[in-house]
Amino acid sequence: MTDRATREDEWLFGWDPTPGIVSVWASLDGRALVWRRTAEGELVLEEERFRPWILLSSRDDLRHVGAHTLSIEELAGPGELRFLVRADDGRALARAVLEGASRRLGRRVGNLRELPKETCLALAPEDQYLASTGRVYFRDLPFERLRRAQIDLETTGLDPEVDRIFLVAIGRPDGEAETHEIDGSTRDPDAAEADLLERALARVRELDPDVIENHNLHGFDLPFLARRTELLDVPFAFGRDRTIPTSKRASARGARVATPDQAAHPMRRARFSVAGRELVDTLDAVRRHDFSARDLPGHGLKVVAKHLGLARSDRVHIPGARIFEVFRRDPARVRAYAMDDVREAAALAATLGGAAFALARMAPRRYERLADAGAATGVVDPLLVRAYLREREALPAHREGDGTAHSGAALHLFATGVATRVVKADVASLYPSLMRSFRIGPSRDRLGAFLSIVDRLVALRLEAKRLGKEAVKGSAEQHAHDAMSAAMKLVVNSAYGYLGATSLTRFADVHAANEVTRRGREVLGMLCSELEARGVTLLEADTDGVYFSAPPAFSEDDERRVVSEVDALLPPLVRLEFEGRYAAMLSHEPKNYALLAYGATEPVLRGVAFRSSRAEPYGEEFLRRAVGALLAGDVQGVRDAYVSTVLALERRELPTIAVASRVRLTKTPDAYAASRKQKRELAYEALLASGITRWSAGDRALVYRSKLGPRVAVDPDAEDDPRVVRPAQGSPVDPRDYDVDSYVRSLLVNFASRLTTGLDREDFSETFADPHQPSLFARRLAEARPILTPLERRAELKA
DNA sequence: GCCAACCGGGG
DNA sequence: GTGTACGGTTGGC
């Protein structure tokens, strides 16, 4: 009997030591193609045999089958899926089960997936192979030894039915980039494009990468390439085994694909898959990263590369809609642009893709699947299935929820208005910590594998973080430790989601999930009252964090002291951390607030009440100034911001664009003409009144209210953007004919109103009084102070 | 104006 | 044989 620690290691990392696996392609006939990279870097292909297997809840459907064709093993324990059935050929195995089920049910059952999922578990062939052999990808193979390539298409537009591919950029395994482009001298554009696609695909096969990467690879490049090759009759083949065609696999975030039975499955989505290469989309890595980090300004390639410091400072920029037009004038510029793109995609894949790489060394699934799977269904569930199989323990059947509602986290708003000396404290990884501290796991997990996996991942993560810090900055070693840490974090944070996902995961347990949130609310409530007992004023608390205001006599050390005093009272493994301190906070509504950092003049605004794309620039600017002044305790400054904005409007000192709002046009001219009788819409009225009769759905415009009605303004920042509508030629660029009364009113109603909680009623009226009425209390505002109003304690449950 | 549905990306 | 959450934006009444 192996000891518990060794078994737990096997649950997490598998047990077969085969090194260097870079791709697996298995089929139900029991054949597995395994591509490996040797220590010398050479690629070898090994053709393996394995025994396909399924798990059944009953052996009844197999009574008719002779024992020599397949083997049935009854697993231990109370789990419903207790018969492990194996055969040399998985298709024969499926046929036997289906024949038995058809007899029993008196109707034809054509596919294992039609059987209720609580009676049958049948994995994809690769998953069967990896789970039963204990093999995993990339053992002893550092990320740097993977042979990676990137492929990026430049097209005339976004629709493969009508647009063409005119350039293909390829990032090579040696780190260089190259481009292939259409032969413009050819008469026949179809032949020219077909020739380009043939050359590009041949080049990919020649470079022979283990992994193909790009940003939105599965959402754009591959489906576009698939459709163009189909239309042009070019073989869409770039795998390592040309006898195996490029195939599709169902994937919720794949591209929509046409199915023969559109009526039955109208919205099928799929991703492409090829034998011998892993197709990895950096957009998945970006989304996964931002899911926990929440620090990215967007998920586009350029903006992420820049944010992570991966972009060359002089990289070429071309707006998407203009790429083809630029190519015709200046092809060298587009080549440089496309090569910058593949280099950034390669850097991004290396920086954020490490987590999936680390997961592929643990979970029994293909690397490309671990790169895009949700962590709960795609990583934790396969780990548990392999653990139960390894222990010869029956698996519990999938079970729908019993109707118990999933309860949520706590959200409290304790006070509104302006507070000073603000501290933010929060509990890191609250839910995993509670699960570990109180041993809350799925009730049907007889092996205790779930909590053991979470415990080990937390320990491994701490170790990886420590090693990452010790490693040389920027080294491959540091990268590997950081990736490991990111992968562990991902899985640990998904553990709670796993419990709650009753319709998705095998061991889901809504009662356990509710116990976690209940403990979470308890901890939040306790830390709030303990903080309050130490003399601070609570402002807002949400799930795992709290904002409070320290008394004037407190030093920063005192602030830190109360946080650590309260930390000491929390359950083991649950740690309250001091996260930050701010000079002031305007608390408006739950999750709508402004913070002023020490030494800063500009506040940080959070929540829909303070930021909206529809807000006109003059109002946003006013709000920034006014909130900044209010947070600094300068009520006269708020008044000054208001008066100067009103006067600037009245004197027409503000440019027209300052009062204009950005709108997106969704209706075509015809569609609006049809609906105009029922309802007039400001944006389209502005277009018509400005003499614009032609635009397309998806275009944008700057719209404002003039004295004579809605008008379109000229956007100087979008001068050569073809998707931004501009007024007829000859109209003034900045007419400043806006409707002053309307914008003065809007300033009060839509912007000044965000400051009501920070001032008492009289001060508010005084601050926002008509600038032309002489005040009766000229001196009052100099002495006015912002206010903070404690609310009756109210607790709300989040949905 | 309010709430539900949708989106996030790619040329 | 898949499946995030969340904050912001759009679109339908």
Side-chain angles (χ1 to χ4, degrees):
Chain A
M1 193 71 198
T2 37
D3 64 69
R4 173 89 185 179
T6 307
R7 290 162 62 211
E8 291 187 348
D9 271 344
E10 293 180 349
W11 298 348
L12 207 46
F13 295 106
W15 49 89
D16 182 297
T18 304
I21 295 177
V22 293
S23 196
V24 173
W25 188 269
S27 42
L28 283 178
D29 61 9
R31 195 170 69 123
L33 300 175
V34 179
W35 283 270
R36 296 201 298 118
R37 224 160 251 298
T38 64
E40 292 74 39
E42 194 193 342
L43 183 75
V44 292
L45 167 62
E46 287 159 355
E47 188 169 337
E48 305 276 328
R49 300 288 316 172
F50 75 104
R51 293 202 86 201
W53 57 272
I54 57 176
L55 280 176
L56 294 176
S57 61
S58 153
R59 65 204 306 172
D60 290 349
D61 290 345
L62 294 170
R63 298 268 182 236
H64 65 290
V65 185
H68 56 279
T69 0
L70 40 81
S71 64
I72 306 178
E73 180 184 345
E74 182 165 5
L75 304 177
E80 290 89 348
L81 291 168
R82 54 188 312 97
F83 298 101
L84 173 63
V85 189
R86 285 179 286 198
D88 290 335
D89 186 329
R91 290 168 306 192
L93 172 58
R95 265 199 307 278
V97 172
L98 291 169
E99 195 187 316
S102 302
R103 277 190 208 178
R104 175 169 51 86
L105 298 165
R107 63 179 171 85
R108 206 185 108 68
V109 185
N111 196 307
L112 288 179
R113 286 174 243 136
E114 292 170 35
L115 294 173
K117 58 180 172 178
E118 62 273 15
T119 66
C120 175
L121 171 70
L123 302 181
E126 288 82 9
D127 297 1
Q128 290 183 30
Y129 173 75
L130 293 168
S132 61
T133 57
R135 292 187 163 188
V136 291
Y137 275 55
F138 309 140
R139 244 195 249 287
D140 307 328
L141 183 86
F143 184 80
E144 291 68 27
R145 294 239 318 276
L146 255 189
R147 202 171 157 80
R148 301 161 46 227
Q150 299 75 36
I151 192 167
D152 186 42
L153 309 181
E154 302 305 330
T155 68
T156 59
L158 295 171
D159 180 1
E161 302 302 325
V162 297
D163 294 312
R164 292 184 185 279
I165 300 168
F166 63 87
L167 186 146
V168 180
I170 296 177
R172 297 197 306 242
D174 66 8
E176 297 300 314
E178 61 185 41
T179 61
H180 304 260
E181 61 197 60
I182 207 155
D183 176 1
S185 66
T186 319
R187 268 293 139 73
D188 180 352
D190 276 357
E193 188 186 357
D195 171 64
L196 164 64
L197 302 188
E198 271 166 22
R199 280 184 283 129
L201 289 170
R203 181 61 174 147
V204 170
R205 291 192 297 266
E206 183 186 16
L207 291 169
D208 197 27
D210 304 326
V211 184
I212 295 175
E213 300 158 337
N214 196 30
H215 204 63
N216 208 13
L217 177 72
H218 285 290
F220 180 72
D221 301 271
L222 289 177
F224 201 108
L225 190 55
R227 185 62 182 140
R228 292 312 292 169
T229 51
E230 186 179 24
L231 289 171
L232 298 168
D233 210 20
V234 171
F236 183 41
F238 57 103
R240 275 181 164 147
D241 184 327
R242 292 205 73 173
T243 67
I244 302 173
T246 301
S247 63
K248 290 184 197 120
R249 45 173 254 252
S251 166
R253 283 187 322 229
R256 259 184 268 280
V257 290
T259 49
D261 52 344
Q262 283 290 322
H265 306 281
M267 295 279 272
R268 283 284 281 279
R269 284 167 172 274
R271 291 185 168 202
F272 288 98
S273 198
V274 295
R277 307 191 207 285
E278 308 289 313
L279 307 178
V280 172
D281 193 332
T282 50
L283 179 57
D284 291 319
V286 164
R287 295 210 253 239
R288 197 179 251 183
H289 166 85
D290 201 34
F291 183 58
S292 56
R294 308 203 157 280
D295 59 353
L296 295 178
H299 292 171
L301 175 66
K302 282 97 182 152
V303 69
V304 176
K306 187 164 182 221
H307 182 86
L308 297 175
L310 306 170
R312 279 203 347 233
S313 55
D314 57 344
R315 74 101 70 218
V316 178
H317 280 284
I318 308 174
R322 298 192 50 214
I323 289 172
F324 185 50
E325 162 201 331
V326 172
F327 179 70
R328 281 188 294 199
R329 273 202 325 264
D330 184 2
R333 190 169 156 74
V334 174
R335 285 178 210 130
Y337 165 82
M339 289 196 284
D340 278 340
D341 266 10
V342 293
R343 279 189 281 257
E344 281 184 2
L348 193 53
T351 307
L352 296 184
F357 183 82
L359 287 178
R361 291 172 147 176
M362 305 192 302
R365 300 195 94 181
R366 290 189 61 181
Y367 172 47
E368 66 175 27
R369 301 282 297 101
L370 291 163
D372 69 50
T377 50
V379 183
V380 177
D381 216 48
L383 286 173
L384 292 172
V385 168
R386 182 180 63 189
Y388 273 67
L389 209 61
R390 178 63 166 166
E391 300 300 326
R392 290 290 183 267
E393 177 82 19
L395 272 167
H398 188 273
R399 194 182 280 173
E400 293 297 322
D402 61 6
T404 306
H406 192 343
S407 59
L411 175 64
H412 308 272
L413 187 65
F414 297 103
T416 61
V418 174
T420 53
R421 321 180 68 86
V422 173
V423 174
K424 169 85 194 291
D426 66 11
V427 178
S429 301
L430 174 65
Y431 287 175
S433 305
L434 291 169
M435 290 159 65
R436 297 178 62 226
S437 184
F438 295 101
R439 308 313 290 169
I440 307 168
S443 60
R444 297 185 300 157
D445 176 17
R446 279 241 311 173
L447 295 176
F450 181 88
L451 284 174
S452 114
I453 285 171
V454 173
D455 281 339
R456 293 205 144 219
L457 289 173
V458 169
L460 286 165
R461 174 153 189 252
L462 292 177
E463 177 71 357
K465 278 175 91 165
R466 188 181 66 75
L467 292 170
K469 267 183 204 147
E470 286 172 10
V472 179
K473 256 203 163 37
S475 66
E477 199 193 342
Q478 189 200 28
H479 178 252
H481 292 307
D482 289 353
M484 182 77 168
S485 166
M488 306 289 147
K489 181 179 178 181
L490 184 78
V491 179
V492 167
N493 288 339
S494 77
Y496 162 74
Y498 183 99
L499 285 181
T502 41
S503 67
L504 305 177
T505 56
R506 183 162 309 283
F507 288 92
D509 183 342
V510 69
H511 300 285
N514 286 348
E515 176 64 5
V516 175
T517 49
R518 188 188 70 75
R519 292 278 188 188
R521 294 191 298 269
E522 194 175 270
V523 164
L524 190 72
M526 177 195 171
L527 69 87
C528 283
S529 51
E530 291 294 341
L531 284 168
E532 202 169 30
R534 283 160 179 77
V536 311
T537 305
L538 298 170
L539 302 171
E540 178 172 334
D542 178 7
T543 313
D544 54 6
V546 58
Y547 285 100
F548 65 81
S549 166
F554 265 38
S555 64
E556 182 177 347
D557 285 344
D558 293 323
E559 294 170 3
R560 291 181 181 275
R561 177 181 47 78
V562 296
V563 170
S564 64
E565 277 176 20
V566 173
D567 171 48
L569 303 173
L570 298 180
L573 307 177
V574 178
R575 303 297 314 268
L576 183 68
E577 293 170 356
F578 186 97
E579 206 193 61
R581 55 197 302 270
Y582 303 89
M585 174 174 181
L586 168 63
S587 167
H588 181 68
E589 282 168 25
K591 298 182 169 192
N592 282 271
Y593 53 83
L595 288 168
L596 187 69
Y598 285 100
T601 47
E602 289 270 296
V604 175
L605 305 176
R606 295 244 171 85
V608 278
F610 290 112
R611 42 193 308 162
S612 156
S613 72
R614 288 186 212 182
E616 299 85 353
Y618 86 102
E620 297 233 286
E621 175 57 24
F622 157 75
L623 203 55
R624 264 194 304 274
R625 271 182 69 191
V627 170
L630 186 71
L631 288 176
D634 175 14
V635 181
Q636 183 60 50
V638 180
R639 169 74 180 161
D640 295 345
Y642 180 68
V643 171
S644 67
T645 306
V646 171
L647 294 182
L649 281 167
E650 289 174 348
R651 294 175 186 150
R652 302 188 183 281
E653 287 164 2
L654 293 174
T656 314
I657 51 164
V659 298
S661 56
R662 275 166 214 281
V663 296
R664 254 178 67 104
L665 306 169
T666 52
K667 293 181 175 148
T668 61
D670 287 346
Y672 184 62
S675 69
R676 186 170 187 245
K677 276 168 230 83
Q678 279 90 53
K679 200 183 69 171
R680 298 198 166 194
E681 295 175 56
L682 184 98
Y684 299 97
E685 290 304 312
L687 294 166
L688 297 176
S690 301
I692 300 159
T693 51
R694 286 167 49 189
W695 67 86
S696 338
D699 287 355
R700 284 162 290 129
L702 278 184
V703 169
Y704 71 102
R705 281 187 283 269
S706 82
K707 290 176 285 188
L708 300 172
R711 291 288 184 278
V712 171
V714 176
D715 185 350
D717 294 336
E719 229 160 298
D720 47 21
D721 188 336
R723 308 236 55 184
V724 175
V725 173
R726 65 203 67 255
Q729 266 201 334
S731 18
V733 171
D734 183 12
R736 306 202 183 189
D737 55 348
Y738 40 79
D739 177 0
V740 170
D741 288 350
S742 153
Y743 287 107
V744 169
R745 219 175 313 123
S746 173
L747 187 64
L748 203 54
V749 175
N750 296 322
F751 297 101
S753 60
R754 305 298 186 236
L755 284 74
T756 41
T757 58
L759 294 166
D760 72 28
R761 195 186 303 188
E762 273 180 44
D763 288 345
F764 186 87
S765 315
E766 186 75 9
T767 304
F768 297 111
D770 185 339
H772 306 297
Q773 300 291 322
S775 170
L776 299 174
F777 316 96
R779 295 194 49 79
R780 275 210 44 226
L781 286 182
E783 287 136 38
R785 289 289 165 263
I787 57 162
L788 182 70
T789 312
L791 300 178
E792 216 174 302
R793 190 165 290 205
R794 100 172 181 249
E796 295 166 22
L797 285 191
K798 288 202 281 191

